[in-house]
C-alpha cells in the first residue's frame, strides 16, 4: 500500500505547485528580508501574507501557494495562519476598507447608529463589498482609540468622534477618490 | 547625586513628560535632551544581575493587567552560564483589551522611551534580539516606532558592542494581523513564530522555553516604559511616586459618556473619583451607575466604589481587577444587558477555539444574553448564566480569555440584577436595545 499513498501525495504536491501565482520582484525581496529576521522561514508567514495583501488588496489562492513554496510550508499550513487572523483577507475587498469599531466604548457612544447609517448609504450589510468594488464594510474589534469613540478606520485613516453624517461623508470621499 | 538628578526628583509624570499637546512625536534629540537613553547607559554600566535586582527591588508590577513583578519575571530566566545561547525579549504591544488605549498613547508620542525600556530589559536577561509585537491597527505607532528604531540604530544606541562587555542588540518591529488572543504571552509567541495564535501549556514557562524554544521574556509596553526612569532616578524615587502599596505611576484612562475622555499619568493608587474628575464628569443628562476598572475583562464596580484607590490590591479586594487601568463607564442611559452582550460577543469572536469551555461556552452565553436582551429571557436563565460563568472560569480553561469574559457578566448579575429581571418581566429591553441620549445618532440616521 505504501507506494500508492506516496504516489498520491506526490501527485497532490505537483498539482498545487502548478497553481502558483509567482511572487513579483517586490514581494520576493520584501519577504526575503523578513525571513532573515527569524531562525525559521515559517516565522515570516504573517509578514509574507501582509506583503502580498499590500500589493493585491487580498491574498489569492495562487499567491498563498507561492508563499507556501517560498517558506517551505504546505499550502494548508499557510492557509491555517491566513484564516486565523482578522486582517488577512482571503477574498477580494473593495478599494477602501472601512472597519467600524463595534466594541464596548464605541457601542456605548453610538456604534449602532453609525452601522445603520452606513449600511443604508452603501446599500450593503457588514462584511460585504459595494457592487462597484469601491468599499468593503467590516465590523472591527476594539481599535484602541476609545478616548475618541466612536471610531472607524477608513483605509489607513483612523476617524474619530464620528456621527452618521461625518462617517457618510468620509465614505463618499473614499468612493470618489477611488473611482 | 548630581544637580540634574536632584532636580529630577521632582518629576512626577515620568512616562508622559515628553508628550506634546499637539500630538507630534518626540524626536531622538528631544528625547535625549531630557535624560533620554541615560537609564540604558546606566544599566549597561552595571552587571545584568544587578539590573534584575534593581528592578525587582523597585517592585515594578506588570502594567498589562496581571500585575506580576517585572524583575521577578526576569529572574526566572536561567543564567547564561547554565543555559548558554540565544534568548529573546518581546514587548507586548498588542493592546486589544476593549476600552484600552494607553500603550498606543505612549508609543505614538514617545517611541524612544519604549525602545530604551526594551533595550534595558534585553540587557537584564542577556537577549541579543528584541521584538516589538504591535497590534495590526496601530499604523501610526508602527511608522513612528520603526523611524525611532532606525534613529537609535544610526546613533549607535542599538546595534553592536553597546558596552565594554560587548552587549549587542537587534530590535525588530513585528506588526500583527489582528486577534485579541495575541495579547496572551504564549499565544503571542506562537504568533511571532508565524503560527496560529494559540496559548501554550505552562510549564515550561517562556522564561525557560519560549520563542523558538529559547528563554524569552514578554513585558507589556507601559511596563517597559517605566524602566529608563527607574534606572536613572533610582528605587526610592520610584517608590515615592505611588500613593499606596504600589510603586510608580499608572496611565489611567476613561471612556464612555464623560465630557473629556482620555488618559492621564497619575500616581498609582489615585482614587477612582479623582480620575473621573479629570475626565470632566458625566455628560449632561446621564448618571454614572458603574464602571469596569481596567478593560472589558474586569468585574463591574459601582458608584459605591468611587473612593477606592486604583491599585492592584484595593481593586482586587473590592472584587475586581485594576487590569489595564483604563475604565469603561456604565451610565443610566446605557443598557447593562446590551453592554455585557457586546463584551461577550467580542470574547466569543476572539476566542482562539483551542479549549472547549471558551469555544462552546461563550457562544452559549451570547445566545442566552441575546434572548434576554430581546425580551425572550426567563428567570432561570440568570442562574444558568452564573453556572456558565463558573464553567468557563479559572482552572477550567487553557488561558485567561474565558475567565476574563465571565468577569463583567458575573458582576453585572450581582450589581445590576434588576436590569436583567426588567428585561424578562417587560418582555423587551427597557432602553430600546441601544443608548438613547447623547448625539441623537439614531434620529439623525433615520433622516439620511
Amino acid at each position: 500500500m505504501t507506494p500508492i499513498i506516496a504516489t498520491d501525495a506526490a501527485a497532490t504536491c505537483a498539482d498545487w505547485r502548478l497553481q502558483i501565482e509567482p511572487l513579483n520582484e517586490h514581494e520576493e525581496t520584501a519577504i526575503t528580508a523578513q525571513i532573515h529576521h527569524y531562525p525559521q522561514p515559517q516565522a515570516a508567514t504573517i509578514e509574507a501574507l501582509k506583503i502580498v495583501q499590500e500589493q493585491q488588496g487580498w491574498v489569492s489562492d495562487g499567491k498563498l501557494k507561492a508563499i507556501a513554496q517560498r517558506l517551505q510550508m504546505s499550502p494548508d499550513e499557510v492557509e491555517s495562519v491566513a484564516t486565523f487572523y482578522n486582517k488577512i483577507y482571503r477574498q477580494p475587498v473593495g478599494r477602501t476598507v472601512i472597519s467600524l469599531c463595534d466594541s464596548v466604548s464605541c457601542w456605548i457612544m453610538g456604534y449602532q447608529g453609525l452601522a445603520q447609517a452606513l449600511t443604508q448609504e452603501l446599500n450593503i450589510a457588514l462584511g460585504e463589498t459595494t457592487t462597484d468594488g469601491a468599499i468593503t464594510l467590516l465590523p472591527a474589534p476594539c481599535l484602541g482609540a476609545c478616548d475618541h469613540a466612536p471610531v472607524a478606520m477608513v483605509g489607513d485613516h483612523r476617524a474619530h468622534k464620528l456621527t452618521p453624517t461625518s462617517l457618510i461623508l468620509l465614505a463618499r470621499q473614499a468612493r470618489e477618490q477611488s473611482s | 547625586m548630581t544637580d540634574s538628578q536632584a532636580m529630577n526628583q521632582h518629576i512626577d509624570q515620568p512616562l508622559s513628560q515628553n508628550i506634546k499637546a499637539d500630538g507630534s512625536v518626540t524626536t531622538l534629540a528631544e528625547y535625549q535632551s531630557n535624560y533620554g537613553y541615560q537609564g540604558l547607559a546606566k544599566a549597561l554600566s552595571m552587571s545584568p544581575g544587578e539590573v534584575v535586582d534593581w528592578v525587582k527591588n523597585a517592585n515594578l508590577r506588570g502594567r498589562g493587567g496581571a500585575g506580576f513583578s517585572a524583575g521577578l519575571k526576569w529572574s526566572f530566566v536561567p543564567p547564561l552560564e547554565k543555559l548558554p545561547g540565544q534568548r529573546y525579549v518581546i514587548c507586548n504591544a498588542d493592546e486589544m483589551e476593549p476600552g484600552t488605549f494607553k500603550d498606543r498613547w505612549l508609543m505614538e508620542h514617545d517611541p524612544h522611551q519604549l525602545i530604551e525600556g526594551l533595550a534595558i530589559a534585553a540587557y537584564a536577561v542577556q537577549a541579543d534580539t528584541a521584538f516589538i509585537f504591535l497590534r495590526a491597527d496601530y499604523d501610526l505607532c508602527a511608522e513612528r516606532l520603526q523611524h525611532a528604531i532606525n534613529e537609535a540604530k544610526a546613533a549607535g544606541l542599538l546595534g553592536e558592542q553597546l558596552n565594554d562587555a560587548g552587549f549587542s542588540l537587534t530590535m525588530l518591529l513585528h506588526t500583527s494581523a489582528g486577534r485579541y488572543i495575541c495579547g496572551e504571552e504564549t499565544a503571542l509567541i506562537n504568533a511571532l513564530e508565524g503560527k496560529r495564535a494559540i496559548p501554550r501549556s505552562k510549564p515550561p514557562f517562556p522564561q525557560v522555553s519560549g520563542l523558538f524554544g529559547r528563554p524569552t521574556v514578554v513585558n507589556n509596553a507601559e511596563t517597559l516604559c517605566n524602566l529608563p526612569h527607574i534606572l536613572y532616578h533610582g528605587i526610592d524615587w520610584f517608590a515615592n511616586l505611588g500613593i499606596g502599596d504600589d510603586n510608580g505611576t499608572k496611565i489611567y484612562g476613561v471612556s464612555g459618556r464623560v465630557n473629556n475622555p482620555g488618559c492621564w499619568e497619575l500616581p498609582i493608587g489615585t482614587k477612582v473619583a479623582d480620575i473621573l474628575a479629570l475626565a470632566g464628569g458625566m455628560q449632561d443628562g446621564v448618571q454614572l451607575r458603574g464602571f469596569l476598572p481596567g478593560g472589558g475583562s474586569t468585574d463591574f464596580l459601582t458608584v459605591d466604589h468611587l473612593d477606592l484607590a486604583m491599585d492592584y490590591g484595593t481593586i482586587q479586594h473590592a472584587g475586581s481587577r485594576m487590569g489595564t487601568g483604563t475604565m469603561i463607564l456604565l451610565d443610566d442611559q446605557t443598557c447593562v444587558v446590551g453592554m455585557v452582550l457586546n463584551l461577550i460577543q467580542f470574547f466569543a469572536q476572539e476566542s482562539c477555539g483551542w479549549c472547549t469551555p471558551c469555544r462552546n461556552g461563550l457562544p452559549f452565553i451570547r445566545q442566552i444574553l441575546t434572548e434576554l436582551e430581546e425580551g425572550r429571557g426567563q428567570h432561570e436563565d440568570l442562574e444558568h448564566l452564573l453556572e456558565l460563568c463558573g464553567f468557563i472560569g479559572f482552572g477550567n480553561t487553557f488561558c485567561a480569555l474565558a475567565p476574563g469574559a465571565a468577569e463583567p457578566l458575573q458582576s453585572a448579575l450581582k450589581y445590576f440584577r434588576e436590569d436583567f429581571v426588567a428585561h424578562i418581566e417587560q418582555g423587551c429591553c427597557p432602553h430600546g436595545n441601544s443608548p438613547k441620549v447623547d448625539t441623537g445618532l439614531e434620529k439623525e440616521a433615520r433622516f439620511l
Side-chain angles (χ1 to χ4, degrees):
Chain A
M1 293 301 287
T2 315
I4 298 171
I5 292 167
T7 313
D8 284 353
T12 316
C13 251
D15 284 344
W16 76 259
R17 291 214 160 80
L18 289 174
Q19 294 158 3
I20 285 173
E21 203 179 319
L23 298 171
N24 64 34
E25 204 181 319
H26 169 83
E27 290 164 343
E28 178 63 38
T29 313
I31 292 170
T32 303
Q34 289 296 330
I35 290 171
H36 289 146
H37 291 166
Y38 303 101
Q40 302 161 359
Q42 291 88 329
T45 311
I46 293 159
E47 280 91 346
L49 289 163
K50 288 178 83 166
I51 287 163
V52 165
Q53 182 162 294
E54 204 178 311
Q55 294 273 298
Q56 288 196 319
W58 64 295
V59 181
S60 61
D61 290 350
K63 287 283 185 185
L64 184 131
K65 285 166 181 157
I67 291 170
Q69 188 183 47
R70 182 67 188 84
L71 303 182
Q72 299 158 33
M73 297 164 77
S74 76
D76 281 355
E77 282 178 296
V78 180
E79 182 77 291
S80 80
V81 175
T83 55
F84 188 84
Y85 293 93
N86 295 334
K87 290 276 168 177
I88 303 297
Y89 308 136
R90 282 290 281 118
Q91 48 182 298
V93 292
R95 291 181 288 278
T96 302
V97 175
I98 299 182
S99 303
L100 193 54
C101 178
D102 66 1
S103 290
V104 63
S105 300
C106 287
W107 179 83
I108 291 171
M109 298 305 286
Y111 156 77
Q112 286 169 312
L114 297 181
Q116 194 186 347
L118 197 55
T119 50
Q120 267 175 25
E121 160 75 13
L122 300 173
N123 200 23
I124 51 171
L126 288 162
E128 292 181 350
T129 302
T130 54
T131 46
D132 61 355
I135 290 170
T136 294
L137 179 56
L138 298 175
C142 185
L143 291 171
C146 322
D147 46 342
H148 305 298
V151 298
M153 295 292 291
V154 180
D156 294 335
H157 168 68
R158 191 177 67 219
H160 293 166
K161 295 190 194 292
L162 289 164
T163 65
T165 316
S166 66
L167 180 58
I168 284 170
L169 283 176
L170 285 171
R172 284 181 188 166
Q173 276 169 14
R175 192 170 226 164
E176 278 163 25
Q177 282 162 9
S178 75
S179 61
Chain B
M1 189 186 289
T2 65
D3 287 349
S4 71
Q5 274 175 319
M7 197 175 70
N8 283 329
Q9 299 292 317
H10 300 294
I11 289 174
D12 55 5
Q13 293 183 314
L15 272 66
S16 57
Q17 62 184 343
N18 292 329
I19 294 183
K20 292 179 272 188
D22 66 358
S24 65
V25 64
T26 304
T27 64
L28 177 59
E30 287 167 338
Y31 185 67
Q32 283 187 302
S33 72
N34 199 7
Y35 71 87
Y37 287 100
Q38 290 184 38
L40 175 62
K42 182 166 180 182
L44 290 172
S45 71
M46 298 158 71
S47 78
E50 284 169 346
V51 178
V52 174
D53 287 340
W54 187 284
V55 174
K56 215 194 307 188
N57 292 334
N59 194 23
L60 169 63
R61 300 180 66 175
R63 304 297 199 235
F68 193 75
S69 158
L72 202 56
K73 197 176 201 180
W74 297 351
S75 70
F76 298 146
V77 176
L80 208 52
E81 310 85 71
K82 282 194 184 160
L83 187 57
Q86 179 81 58
R87 40 193 63 203
Y88 297 101
V89 291
I90 303 169
C91 165
N92 185 347
D94 189 64
E95 183 172 62
M96 265 186 90
E97 180 69 26
T100 302
F101 47 95
K102 64 184 181 66
D103 297 339
R104 189 204 85 229
W105 188 62
L106 291 172
M107 294 184 292
E108 266 182 11
H109 296 100
D110 200 2
H112 281 289
Q113 177 171 247
L114 176 68
I115 291 167
E116 185 182 2
L118 186 55
I120 292 168
Y123 178 67
V125 301
Q126 293 288 283
D128 69 1
T129 308
F131 287 97
I132 299 173
F133 189 101
L134 185 69
R135 73 165 290 181
D137 308 284
Y138 283 2
D139 292 335
L140 186 58
C141 288
E143 188 187 312
R144 290 180 170 183
L145 279 166
Q146 190 58 60
H147 179 74
I149 290 172
N150 296 345
E151 271 185 320
K153 249 195 277 190
L157 296 159
L158 297 174
E160 305 291 320
Q161 301 288 325
L162 298 175
N163 66 357
D164 294 340
F167 175 70
S168 300
L169 181 63
T170 305
M171 194 173 286
L172 297 163
L173 177 67
H174 169 94
T175 59
S176 179
R179 273 311 276 272
Y180 173 69
I181 192 63
C182 293
E184 201 281 338
E185 67 175 6
T186 58
L188 182 151
I189 288 169
N190 274 334
L192 205 46
E193 289 185 4
K195 298 171 182 161
R196 291 165 77 91
I198 288 159
R200 296 176 178 178
S201 67
K202 295 188 264 191
F205 287 89
Q207 291 96 321
V208 178
S209 176
L211 187 64
F212 305 111
R214 301 300 309 167
T216 303
V217 162
V218 184
N219 285 134
N220 163 260
E222 184 188 347
T223 311
L224 292 165
C225 287
N226 277 280
L227 295 173
H229 311 286
I230 293 173
L231 263 294
Y232 184 73
H233 294 304
I235 296 164
D236 292 341
W237 166 83
F238 188 66
N240 287 332
L241 285 179
I243 290 176
D245 291 340
D246 292 317
N247 296 347
T249 60
K250 179 79 192 77
I251 311 294
Y252 293 113
V254 177
S255 65
R257 292 174 185 277
V258 285
N259 289 311
N260 181 31
C263 55
W264 306 272
E265 183 180 13
L266 297 165
I268 196 162
T270 298
K271 275 185 189 176
V272 173
D274 294 340
I275 300 168
L276 292 182
L278 283 171
M282 301 304 287
Q283 292 178 354
D284 281 347
V286 297
Q287 296 279 325
L288 179 66
R289 286 188 75 200
F291 60 100
L292 302 168
S297 63
T298 58
D299 285 272
F300 274 103
L301 293 176
T302 71
V303 285
D304 296 332
H305 297 109
L306 298 183
D307 281 335
L308 293 185
M310 273 286 273
D311 61 35
Y312 297 99
T314 308
I315 299 298
Q316 192 165 11
H317 188 70
S320 185
R321 291 186 302 121
M322 186 170 76
T324 60
T326 39
M327 298 187 251
I328 308 160
L329 305 187
L330 168 69
D331 60 82
D332 63 344
Q333 309 290 311
T334 296
C335 171
V336 67
V337 179
M339 181 171 167
V340 174
L341 172 60
N342 177 280
L343 289 163
I344 291 289
Q345 159 62 20
F346 172 88
F347 292 114
Q349 175 189 304
E350 293 300 321
S351 168
C352 77
W354 184 248
C355 65
T356 312
C358 185
R359 182 182 62 241
N360 289 358
L362 289 171
F364 198 5
I365 291 172
R366 177 178 58 195
Q367 183 60 33
I368 295 170
L369 282 172
T370 303
E371 291 190 5
L372 276 165
E373 175 66 351
E374 291 172 0
R376 287 177 279 115
Q378 295 168 7
H379 287 283
E380 50 267 36
D381 287 341
L382 305 187
E383 298 319 309
H384 194 186
L385 283 173
L386 278 176
E387 195 180 22
L388 285 164
C389 285
F391 287 158
I392 66 170
F394 277 107
N396 295 336
T397 61
F398 226 72
C399 79
L401 190 148
E407 289 179 20
L409 173 58
Q410 69 198 13
S411 50
L413 284 164
K414 178 175 157 192
Y415 291 121
F416 310 113
R417 199 179 180 93
E418 69 276 14
D419 292 64
F420 289 80
V421 171
H423 281 73
I424 297 165
E425 289 180 348
Q426 295 177 27
C428 66
C429 174
H431 291 274
N433 196 19
S434 70
K436 282 296 181 197
V437 289
D438 190 24
T439 49
L441 291 177
E442 285 172 88
K443 198 170 157 196
E444 198 183 341
R446 273 198 295 276
F447 288 103
L448 282 161

